[in-house]
Structures are given as C-alpha cells and as structure tokens.
C-alpha cells in the first residue's frame, strides 16, 4: 500500500477584495486555484520530490498532505486513512502522529523562548507522553550534543537549527516527513551535511519523505521519484534518470535548460520566454501553452490528461 | 592587459566590538578589468558582500576600512567622504541587490526613479532623461516601456522588477556594476533571463562586473574569473574554468564537491567537516586549517597569503594533472 496517496487534489483560495469593495467597485469574486487536480502516490520508504517554481502550488500540496490546509476537492490518504473524511477519532489520531513536517526557515520555525529540550519533546508531551531523555537521544542522532538540550535556538547556526527541526520531527516516531524546502536557506556545504543526515535517517528509520524543493540538483540527488508542477498542475512524473536524461514535457525541458550548470562555462543560452501566468486567470487548456514551443490549437482548448510515456507520466498533448 | 577598472589592494574591514576587534574582510586583493565579470563566491559570513559594500562606501558603522586601498579608474576612492562618495555611487558604480522590491522606492514611479538618477549624474534635460529612460527600459526587455514608465514598482513581477533595477544601475553609464546576489530571490527560468541580460549589457558597454553570489552554477556560466572567499580572506582566485574543474585550495575543492551536481550518482554528498569559524573565534594561521584534510603544523600558525601569479592561499595546494584541467 502506498504511504501517501493524493487523488484529484484541488485547492482554491478566495482572494477577493472585501465584500463592500466588491459591491461598490462592481468587482467579481477572485478565486486563485493554487492546486488543480493533482494525483500521485508515494510508496513507503521512498523519497518523492515535488519541484516547481514559485506559485506552482508545491507548498500548498505539502500543507494539505499534513492536514494544515483542507483540500477544496479530492483527497489525501495516509496509510489508507482519508485525512479529510475519516470520522473515527482514534484512526485520525494515529494517522496524524505518523506525519511530521520540516520547514524552510530554521530561524522562524523554532520558538526563541523555548529551550531546545522543550522544542524537541513537544510533539510527544503534547500527546501526553513522557519526554524524559528523548531530546538528548535525538540530538545525538542528528549530530548535535546531548548538552545542547539546555540551550536556546539563538545559540545555534542555521544548519544546526535545521538539525534541531529534524530532531523535533523525529520525536513522535513518524513514518512520513513532509520537508518543505529544508535546505534552501542553507549554504552549500551545510546543505550537503543536512542532506546526508536526512539520507542516513531515512535508511536507518525507514522513513518516507515528501520533499518539496525548487532546486533541481538537490531533487535529483535525493529523490526516488519526482513530480514537476506548473501553475498548480502536475505536468510530469518520473524517476530522476527518466526526468533528467529524457525530459518529456516542454516545461521540464525548459527548466532543465535554464538551470545553471557547473560545467557550462560561458554558456550562452536562449533564456526561456515569459513568466508563470497569473493563477487567478490561468490560460485555457494546457496552462503552459502560451510559453510552449510545441503548442497547437488543441493545447489552448483542451487540458491534457496524465498519460504513460516510456515508463514515466506526462500531461502533454504533443510530447512523444 | 589595460589598467583595471577596479583595483582592491589588501583591503581590511574591521568592526570594534565589546568582545574585541572583528575582521570580516582580511587583506583581500583583486582587480576587475574593463568588460570583465569577476565572480565572488563564498558562504554566508565569508565577507563577500562586506567587501562589495566597502567599495561603494556602504559599510554600516562601526564597521570601517582600516587597511588597504581601493582604486577606481586610477582614482583612490576608499578615503572619499559624504558628497564625493555620493557622486561616485550611481555615476561610476552601479548596484544591483538581491531583493528588487526593497531597492526600489515604492512611492515613486519607475520613470521618476530612472529620470532622477540620470538628472543627478548626467547633464541632460528632463525631456531627454525621459526619452533615455524609455530606451533603458526597452533595452532590459520590458514590454510597452513608454506606458510602464508611469507604473509603480508593485505593479511589476519579481523578474521585471529586477530588470528595472538593472536599468537603473546602468542608466548613468557606470564603469563598474556590483551585483550582490542579483538572482537569488528569483525562479530558475527568470534567473536565466536576468543573467543573460546582465551578461549582454555589460559586454556591449564594456562594464566591469563584480558578481557576488553563492551559486556555483551561475558563476560557472557567467564569470570570467572567480574569487573564492573563506572567513574574510581570499582563498583562491583564478580563471573560472580552472578554479571549478581543478581547484587548488582544499576549501574550494570541498565547496565544489559538496554541490549535488559534483556528487552525481553518489548516495552521499561529499561534505566538509565542521562549519565556518565565527569572527569572534578565528583560528590562528590559515582560517581553514581546523577543517582541512591536508593541514600540517605550519598551517596552524602561518596564514600563507596568496602570491601574485599564484592561485590559492595555501601551503599545500592540490596539484592536478594536465588532463584534469583540460
């Protein structure tokens, strides 16, 4: 059984002006579709990465996966338990304790007034458990010292803080960790340390990661499967090899071509044209068609469905 | 080679604190020639932005230049004060910062900001300035430039805003641009657009560029030479291809190795043990020696400076065979 299964997930935000302004200025309601009909599965003990540029809906999916946001349509199923429709409180409780999250900014996600021990123990003590010795054990597991438990977050560097966030995420012995850009705020050498730690923990503890990132190189390194998002839609999904050696969707091809390369000395590229469209008024049909070199009339009329292509999945009319 | 546009010699910046004297920039020297792009890389706290700010006289007190010289087009500028420095900024040195929203005035239209800069530094009329502002916006690729001139910064997207900032930096025709993490806040596809733009404009005008960034990929594709900084000091300086493919300083080697691109196919990334020392607890000798795999006794007390002609500031630089560098 899949660890996490997302089916036809859609999230619409109401970004209208206040009621009175709408009446006086005769404005229609403005609805922003952050995530639109996204379906994917994450197998147990694997790393599934969601990549996309800002506004592609990757963080919104992550928040729905942990239950911080509720979907407008569709469902998120964790270990067979539907997070939005399950009514049995005991089952819900079990599903929730299996999920943890790591956020991007290790400076904003630790309470500056709490000692590290209390921060790490909270997921357990909040459920009435006993946290004696837990923080010390976890700190050593993430490469810090047990003595650090009595310190406050400001005494640590960015990389060390991210280690504390990881320790906190591990406290309730989760099966699934949703990592939202966990290394984006870190320097390369620190990023390498944190990524290696995450790989070690995943192997030792049998964890499943839903890894959200905009950094293609990080995603290529860490994931077993990658989903590429564009304007809230999943456009392509495949293993790192499938995706990087044989990108099928024109958007994926554009992203890979635009990404800076370490061996691209003096490379002159034709930079991609245009920018991500406004999600309040997305293009008709395929959302990528205004920027797509392959676009035909069909692309502007009809939204492509996900289909199998050489072992990977792609949502494009023209991809061959 | 002709005279460099910018020449920094043994630049030292110090911050007096209660805990002692901190030295975020320590005897850094480099030149940038006309039309050249010098990449300055390093991790946070390496002093790369601090050195850039010292050049344009934007150090916040109590940080100040305590040693060395900065020369711009043959004039010494590190001792300039107040009005003289202000005239230099914008006229001779253009700046592009990381966050385009905070480097534009939200209360003025971009047309006002462009014309203001030009009227300040060039002797032209208001009408002429407006005409040039439209041309500048067209040049950086803003569609319908004459209409967008009266738009406010918030009406632009992030990538478009950064284009406006570049237009602003170039409008007084400076001889040097300091670009401090110009694409860090942008998406990959927009980043490619901005880098291509910066490259094209500076090549066409022969503007020298100091490109400060932590992104090795951007440096590899954009810079002609690269300066690697570590703990306020220059660890290595050389042509970009050589520094990246055959690093001589063990820190450069570790830094390149820890990028996911370099460890392709490995289950674990290569990592440098430990972390960068704090300014308050700088090791003696070579600042990198506690983390260095090649460190020996001499490294602990003698910080070997970079010699002219050499690349790395290291007693035991890594040697590479000819085919590795090719």
């Amino acid at each position: 059984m899949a660890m996490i299964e997302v089916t036809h997930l859609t999230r619409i935000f109401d970004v209208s002006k206040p009621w009175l302004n709408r009446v006086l200025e005769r404005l229609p309601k403005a609805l922003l579709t952050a995530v639109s009909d996204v379906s994917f599965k994450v197998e147990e003990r694997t790393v599934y990465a969601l990549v996309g540029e800002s506004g592609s809906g990757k963080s919104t999916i992550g928040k729905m996966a942990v239950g911080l946001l509720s979907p407008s349509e569709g469902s998120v199923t964790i270990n067979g338990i539907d997070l939005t429709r399950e009514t049995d409180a005991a089952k819900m409780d079990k599903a929730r304790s299996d999920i943890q999250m790591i956020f991007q900014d290790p400076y904003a996600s630790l309470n500056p007034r709490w000692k590290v021990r209390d921060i790490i123990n909270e997921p357990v003590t909040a459920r009435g458990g006993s946290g004696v010795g837990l923080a010390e054990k976890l700190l050593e597991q993430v490469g810090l010292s047990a003595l650090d438990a009595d310190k406050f977050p400001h005494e640590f560097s960015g990389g060390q803080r991210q280690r504390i966030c990881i320790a906190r995420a591990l406290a309730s012995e989760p099966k699934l960790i949703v990592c939202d850009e966990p290394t984006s705020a870190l320097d390369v050498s620190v990023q390498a340390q944190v990524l290696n730690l995450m790989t070690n923990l995943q192997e030792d503890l049998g964890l499943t990661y839903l890894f959200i990132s905009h950094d293609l190189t990080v995603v290529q390194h860490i994931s077993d499967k990658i989903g590429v998002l564009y304007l809230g839609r999943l456009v392509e999904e495949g293993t790192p090899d499938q995706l990087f050696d044989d990108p099928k969707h024109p958007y994926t091809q554009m992203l890979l071509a635009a990404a800076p390369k370490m061996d691209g000395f003096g490379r002159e590229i034709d930079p991609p044209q245009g920018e991500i469209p406004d999600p309040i008024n997305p293009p008709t049909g395929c959302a990528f068609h205004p920027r797509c070199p392959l676009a035909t009339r069909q692309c502007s009329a009809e939204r492509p469905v996900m289909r199998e292509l050489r072992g990977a999945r792609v949502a494009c009319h023209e991809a061959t | 080679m002709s005279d460099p546009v910018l020449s920094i010699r043994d630049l030292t910046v110090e911050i007096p604190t209660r805990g002692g004297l901190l030295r975020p920039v320590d005897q850094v020297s480099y030149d940038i020639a006309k039309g050249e792009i010098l990449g300055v890389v390093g991790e946070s706290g390496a002093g790369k932005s601090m050195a850039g700010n010292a050049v344009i006289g934007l150090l916040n007190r109590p940080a100040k230049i305590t040693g060395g010289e900065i020369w711009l087009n043959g004039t010494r500028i590190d001792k300039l004060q107040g009005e003289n420095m202000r005239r230099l900024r914008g006229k001779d040195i253009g700046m592009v910062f990381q966050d385009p929203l905070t480097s534009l005035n939200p209360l003025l239209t971009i047309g006002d900001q462009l014309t203001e800069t030009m009227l300040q530094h060039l002797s032209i009329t208001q009408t002429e300035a407006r005409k040039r502002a439209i041309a500048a916006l067209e040049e950086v690729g803003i569609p319908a430039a004459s209409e967008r001139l009266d738009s406010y910064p918030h009406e632009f997207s992030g990538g478009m805003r950064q284009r406006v900032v570049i237009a602003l930096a170039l409008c007084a025709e400076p001889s040097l641009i300091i670009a401090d993490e110009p694409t860090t806040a942008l998406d990959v596809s927009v980043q490619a657009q901005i880098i291509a733009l910066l490259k094209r404009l500076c090549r066409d005008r022969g503007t020298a560029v100091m490109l400060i960034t932590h992104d090795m990929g951007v440096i590899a594709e954009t810079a002609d030479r690269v300066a690697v900084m570590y703990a306020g000091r220059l660890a290595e300086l050389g042509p970009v291809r050589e520094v990246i493919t055959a690093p001589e300083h063990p820190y450069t080697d570790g830094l390149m190795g820890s990028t996911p691109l370099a460890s392709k196919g490995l289950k674990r990334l290569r990592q440098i043990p430990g972390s960068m020392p704090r300014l308050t607890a700088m090791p003696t000798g070579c600042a990198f020696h506690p983390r260095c795999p090649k460190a020996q006794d001499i490294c602990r007390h003698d910080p070997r400076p970079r010699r002219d002609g050499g690349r790395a500031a290291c007693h035991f630089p890594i040697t590479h065979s000819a085919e590795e560098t090719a």
Side-chain angles (χ1 to χ4, degrees):
Chain A
M1 188 172 55
M3 182 75 216
I4 168 167
E5 185 166 359
V6 165
T7 37
H8 303 297
L9 195 63
T10 300
R11 173 72 204 201
I12 297 167
F13 291 104
D14 188 345
V15 290
S16 314
K17 291 233 172 117
W19 171 85
L20 193 59
N21 293 57
R22 283 212 315 275
V23 172
L24 293 175
E25 297 165 29
R26 296 175 194 278
L27 295 169
K29 271 205 152 196
L31 298 175
L32 184 151
T33 311
V35 178
S36 169
D37 198 10
V38 169
S39 304
F40 62 87
K41 268 188 212 173
V42 186
E43 297 300 329
E44 213 172 322
R45 293 169 179 255
T46 62
V47 180
Y48 188 98
L50 289 172
V51 275
E53 301 181 278
S54 35
S56 63
K58 51 193 193 303
S59 292
T60 309
I61 295 180
K63 284 184 184 154
M64 286 192 279
V66 295
L68 284 175
L69 277 176
S70 56
S72 305
E73 275 166 53
S75 65
V76 179
T77 314
I78 309 279
N79 260 338
I81 300 162
D82 185 335
L83 279 187
T84 43
R85 287 173 196 82
E86 183 58 53
T87 47
D88 184 343
K91 272 189 175 173
M92 260 315 258
D93 202 47
K94 175 77 190 70
R96 285 214 178 117
S97 70
D98 282 345
I99 321 168
Q100 278 293 341
M101 191 157 180
I102 301 169
F103 298 92
Q104 171 171 0
D105 185 353
Y107 290 83
S109 50
L110 298 173
N111 188 332
R113 291 164 184 259
W114 282 25
K115 282 190 176 164
V116 168
R117 173 181 293 113
D118 302 325
I119 291 173
I120 295 178
N121 286 345
E122 205 201 4
V124 173
T125 48
R127 288 172 176 279
S130 153
V132 177
L134 180 67
E136 286 79 359
K137 191 189 99 199
L138 288 167
L139 280 171
E140 295 200 331
Q141 200 166 6
V142 297
L144 295 171
S145 151
L147 298 172
D148 290 333
D150 283 314
K151 294 185 183 166
F152 286 95
H154 74 262
E155 299 175 61
F156 297 90
S157 69
Q160 289 171 325
R161 281 178 209 223
Q162 202 59 295
R163 288 173 193 264
I164 296 171
C165 292
I166 294 173
R168 172 177 61 186
L170 294 173
S172 64
E173 297 181 359
K175 296 201 174 76
L176 169 71
I177 300 184
V178 175
C179 321
D180 192 353
E181 304 261 15
T183 60
S184 307
L186 307 177
D187 279 317
V188 242
S189 72
V190 183
Q191 166 173 285
Q193 295 172 350
V194 171
L195 287 177
N196 285 348
L197 170 69
M198 290 180 69
T199 313
N200 292 344
L201 291 170
Q202 195 229 343
E203 286 176 1
D204 297 349
L205 306 173
L207 297 170
T208 308
Y209 290 146
L210 179 61
F211 196 96
I212 297 165
S213 180
H214 70 281
D215 189 330
L216 293 163
T217 60
V218 168
V219 158
Q220 181 179 23
H221 170 76
I222 201 161
S223 45
D224 299 304
K225 211 170 209 186
I226 300 168
V228 182
L229 291 164
Y230 183 73
L231 211 66
R233 300 145 196 234
L234 197 60
V235 294
E236 184 166 353
E237 182 192 66
T239 62
D241 289 344
Q242 285 167 344
L243 210 71
F244 284 86
D245 298 340
D246 174 28
K248 295 164 189 77
H249 197 284
Y251 174 65
T252 318
Q253 292 167 356
M254 187 201 88
L255 261 191
L256 293 182
K261 295 179 182 49
M262 293 272 284
D263 53 0
F265 302 110
R267 192 168 70 117
E268 299 281 337
I269 48 162
D270 259 345
Q273 300 301 308
E275 293 180 23
I276 288 198
D278 180 7
I280 297 173
N281 297 303
T284 56
C286 171
F288 189 60
H289 86 259
R291 302 170 74 186
C292 182
L294 306 175
T296 62
R297 195 174 300 157
Q298 189 193 12
C299 300
S300 53
E302 193 186 317
R303 179 168 167 185
V305 289
M306 254 330 198
R307 63 186 163 100
E308 293 260 339
L309 186 64
R310 292 196 290 284
R313 293 200 301 154
V314 60
C316 178
H317 293 299
E318 299 298 318
T320 47
Chain B
M1 202 166 73
S2 58
D3 283 344
V5 172
L6 178 77
S7 177
I8 298 179
R9 285 282 157 266
D10 296 323
L11 180 70
T12 301
V13 175
E14 286 179 340
I15 308 175
T17 67
R18 263 180 291 174
L21 202 59
L22 307 184
R23 208 175 262 181
V25 180
D26 193 356
Q27 302 206 11
V28 169
S29 304
Y30 49 74
D31 293 342
I32 310 181
K34 192 168 156 44
E36 183 186 44
I37 302 182
L38 176 79
V40 182
V41 289
E43 302 180 88
S44 0
K48 50 193 196 307
S49 294
M50 193 70 102
N53 286 347
V55 171
I56 44 179
L58 282 184
L59 290 179
N60 286 328
R61 290 216 304 165
K64 62 172 190 292
I65 301 175
T66 54
E69 299 170 2
I70 305 171
W71 294 79
L72 184 76
N73 295 321
T75 320
R76 189 161 171 190
I77 61 167
D78 52 305
K79 295 271 191 268
L80 288 183
Q81 295 290 331
E83 189 57 28
N84 292 332
M85 194 68 215
R86 232 165 63 89
R87 222 169 289 145
L88 193 82
R89 262 182 237 140
K91 173 74 192 89
D92 295 308
I93 309 178
M95 287 157 285
V96 179
F97 292 109
Q98 174 171 350
D99 184 356
L101 196 54
T102 48
S103 40
L104 292 169
N105 186 336
L107 299 177
L108 294 179
T109 65
I110 59 160
D112 288 343
Q113 301 187 42
L114 281 163
T115 46
E116 187 195 2
T117 311
M118 283 188 272
L119 291 172
Q120 181 82 41
H121 296 297
L122 309 171
S123 41
I124 51 173
T125 63
Q126 179 78 39
T127 352
E128 172 68 17
R130 205 176 153 84
K131 219 184 282 169
R132 283 211 201 176
I134 295 173
L137 288 182
E138 274 168 358
E139 199 170 5
V140 295
I142 288 180
S146 50
E147 289 135 53
R148 299 311 298 270
L149 207 56
D150 297 316
S151 305
Y152 289 89
H154 76 265
E155 297 174 74
F156 291 86
S157 68
M160 284 297 161
R161 262 182 229 137
Q162 198 62 299
R163 286 169 192 265
V164 172
V165 173
I166 291 175
L168 203 54
L170 285 168
C171 69
E173 293 167 0
S175 50
L176 172 71
I177 292 267
I178 297 181
D180 193 348
E181 305 270 7
T183 58
T184 309
L186 305 175
D187 280 320
V188 186
S189 61
V190 181
Q191 163 172 302
Q193 295 170 357
I194 296 295
I195 290 289
L197 177 74
L198 205 60
K199 245 161 115 174
R200 179 172 60 81
L201 292 180
C202 295
R203 195 172 41 207
D204 292 353
R205 293 156 191 243
T207 314
V209 181
M210 185 196 294
L211 177 67
I212 302 170
T213 177
H214 67 276
D215 189 325
M216 285 331 141
V218 169
I219 288 286
E221 293 193 353
T222 317
D224 301 307
R225 285 188 309 144
V226 57
V228 183
M229 290 190 67
Y230 182 78
R233 297 175 197 172
L234 202 57
E236 187 162 352
L237 175 70
V240 67
R241 181 186 291 268
E242 288 165 32
V243 172
I244 289 184
T245 53
E248 280 185 3
H249 197 287
Y251 172 66
T252 319
D253 187 50
L255 190 65
M256 300 301 162
S258 56
T259 58
L261 280 172
S263 305
K264 215 166 166 180
L266 301 175
K267 190 71 187 145
R268 300 284 186 282
L269 297 168
R270 277 174 59 202
Q271 59 182 59
I272 315 175
S275 54
M276 182 139 64
R278 294 183 180 209
L279 287 174
T280 46
M282 199 55 77
T284 55
C286 169
F288 188 61
H289 86 255
R291 307 171 72 188
C292 184
K294 305 186 80 173
Q296 300 195 13
D297 256 352
I298 185 169
C299 305
R300 282 178 248 287
H301 39 79
D302 178 18
R304 184 185 186 279
R306 229 188 109 254
R307 308 244 161 86
D308 278 339
R311 256 167 56 194
C314 180
H315 292 287
F316 309 103
I318 302 167
T319 46
H320 295 271
S321 58
E323 54 271 28
E324 271 180 292
T325 19

